[in-house]
């Protein structure tokens, strides 16, 4: 009983409970058919949301107003860069991944430099940057027909006992992110800035450097996500990252990270990503239209943000 109460007090638990409820509702509707395949598919697709979600989580944890709206454009450009560098050759896979990582990191760094140099809110700076990135991507990647190297495409779809290898690697990555957040100076500095930026500065935290590193990290994760998406879907696309603007913010909020900053929740990102993927699967199974799917997703996010805001006000 004590264990149940302890788990119930942890915000990340509810995202997993929601995912479980949605999965059970779907298999009940289908009579139990495809239950295992649904889990495998959910893990495969959730990976991409988790990767960018972790980057977005670090940014949002910096405090009110911090958000990276350039991720969709970042993902699209990085996917084109990766495919062009790889040029369909297995020998160029590592170089292509590094190029995508560097592309994303550069975008993240420029995002922060815009915020710092122009003294404009992050939401404006990253949104403005996204338009520039999209323009570059259109001229660079529009009509790009290069397929990923066979080895890379196979890797992004590789499974062991029904579990995607990318999901296993992403779990290891998120464990590392959680350790960094709670045990390393960088992660503790991010939390401190989100709780009170002036107090963090007075305590000796290099606020500018930490914010720069955080936006660069978010950009780098968007870049590597673009490369992996191109491998998984067998090619780059200008619009390949469009859905991750809403999704990257949704998994952070639903997963228990405070929109007011200073409180992050890594496990919740996984639970929220699985919940959103399984919710989409359930709504598709029920034959719900695309408009209703978007409406329900939006209502869920608004509800969670409202609940989180209410909790903050009580404290």
């Amino acid at each position: 009983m004590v264990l149940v109460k302890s788990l119930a007090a942890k915000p990340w638990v509810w995202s997993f409970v929601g995912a479980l409820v949605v999965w059970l509702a779907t298999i009940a509707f289908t009579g139990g058919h495809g239950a295992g395949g649904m889990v495998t598919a959910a893990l495969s697709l959730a990976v991409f949301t988790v990767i960018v979600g972790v980057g977005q989580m670090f940014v949002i944890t910096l405090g009110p107003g911090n958000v990276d709206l350039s991720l969709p454009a970042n993902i699209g450009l990085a996917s084109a860069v990766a495919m062009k560098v790889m040029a369909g050759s297995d020998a160029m896979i590592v170089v292509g991944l590094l190029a995508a990582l560097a592309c994303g990191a550069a975008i993240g760094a420029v995002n922060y430099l815009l915020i710092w140099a122009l003294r404009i809110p992050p939401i404006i700076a990253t949104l403005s940057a996204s338009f520039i990135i999209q323009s570059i991507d259109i001229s660079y990647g529009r009509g790009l027909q290069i397929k990923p190297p066979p080895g890379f495409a196979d890797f992004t779809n590789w499974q062991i006992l029904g579990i995607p290898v990318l999901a296993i690697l992403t779990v290891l990555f998120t464990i590392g992110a959680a350790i960094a957040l709670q045990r390393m100076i960088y992660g503790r500095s991010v939390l401190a800035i989100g709780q009170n930026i002036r107090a963090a500065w007075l305590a000796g935290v290099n606020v500018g450097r930490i914010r720069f590193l955080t936006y660069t990290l978010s950009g780098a994760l968007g870049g590597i996500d673009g490369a992996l998406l191109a491998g998984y879907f067998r090619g780059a696309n200008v619009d390949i990252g469009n859905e991750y603007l809403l999704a990257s913010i949704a998994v952070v909020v639903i997963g228990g990270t405070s929109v007011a900053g200073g409180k992050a929740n890594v496990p919740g990102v996984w639970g929220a990503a699985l919940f959103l993927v399984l919710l989409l699967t359930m709504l598709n199974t029920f034959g719900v239209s695309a408009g209703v799917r978007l409406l329900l997703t939006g209502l869920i996010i608004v509800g969670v943000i409202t609940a989180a805001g209410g909790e903050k006000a009580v404290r």
Side-chain angles (χ1 to χ4, degrees), residues 72-288:
N74 180 353
I75 291 170
L77 178 58
S79 70
V81 168
M83 292 302 97
K84 269 201 170 182
V85 172
M86 291 181 189
S89 171
D90 285 337
M92 296 296 290
I93 291 175
V94 174
V95 179
L97 288 173
L98 290 175
L101 190 67
C103 175
I107 290 171
V110 169
N111 280 337
Y112 179 71
L113 291 176
L114 286 174
I115 296 167
W116 173 77
L118 301 181
R119 297 290 189 269
I120 56 179
I123 190 171
I124 302 299
T126 56
L127 183 61
S128 301
S130 72
F131 292 131
I132 299 172
I133 298 163
Q134 282 179 336
S135 299
I136 296 171
D137 190 16
I138 288 172
S139 61
Y140 180 80
R142 178 72 74 182
L144 190 65
Q145 300 296 323
I146 302 175
K147 298 296 182 182
F152 184 56
D154 291 341
F155 167 73
T156 55
N157 289 271
W158 187 22
Q159 298 176 7
I160 298 177
L161 300 176
I163 301 175
V165 170
L166 273 185
I168 297 172
L169 294 176
T170 305
V171 167
L172 296 176
F173 161 69
T174 49
I175 291 173
I179 293 173
L181 191 65
Q182 300 297 331
R183 303 294 181 187
M184 294 178 64
I185 293 175
Y186 165 71
R188 289 181 175 274
S189 298
V190 170
L191 293 171
I193 292 170
Q195 290 163 7
N196 190 312
I197 189 170
R198 180 168 174 77
W201 178 74
L202 290 173
V205 175
N206 190 326
V207 174
R209 184 177 66 181
I210 295 300
R211 293 183 73 200
F212 172 79
L213 290 174
T214 303
Y215 276 91
T216 302
L217 172 65
S218 178
L221 291 176
I224 199 69
D225 205 51
L228 293 173
L229 278 165
Y232 186 80
F233 289 111
R234 301 295 198 277
N237 189 307
V238 172
D239 301 321
I240 199 169
N242 283 359
E243 68 180 87
Y244 294 98
L245 175 59
L246 176 62
S248 67
I249 298 172
V251 295
V252 173
V253 176
I254 296 173
T257 293
S258 173
V259 293
K263 176 185 174 185
N265 201 304
V266 178
V269 174
W270 260 111
L274 289 169
F275 170 71
L276 289 178
V277 172
L278 288 168
L279 177 65
L280 180 61
T281 302
M282 182 186 74
L283 295 176
N284 282 333
T285 303
F286 291 173
V288 176

Side-chain angles (χ1 to χ4, degrees), residues 15-77:
S15 59
F16 284 97
V17 170
L20 178 62
V21 170
V22 170
W23 178 69
L24 291 174
T26 306
I27 62 175
F29 183 81
T30 61
H33 297 296
M38 195 186 308
V39 172
T40 299
L43 285 170
S44 297
L45 294 174
V47 160
F48 306 111
T49 308
V50 170
I51 293 172
V52 291
V54 169
Q56 191 75 271
M57 180 197 71
F58 273 91
V59 171
I60 289 175
T61 303
L62 286 172
N66 284 285
V67 66
D68 186 355
L69 299 185
S70 69
L71 280 172
N74 180 353
I75 291 170
L77 178 58

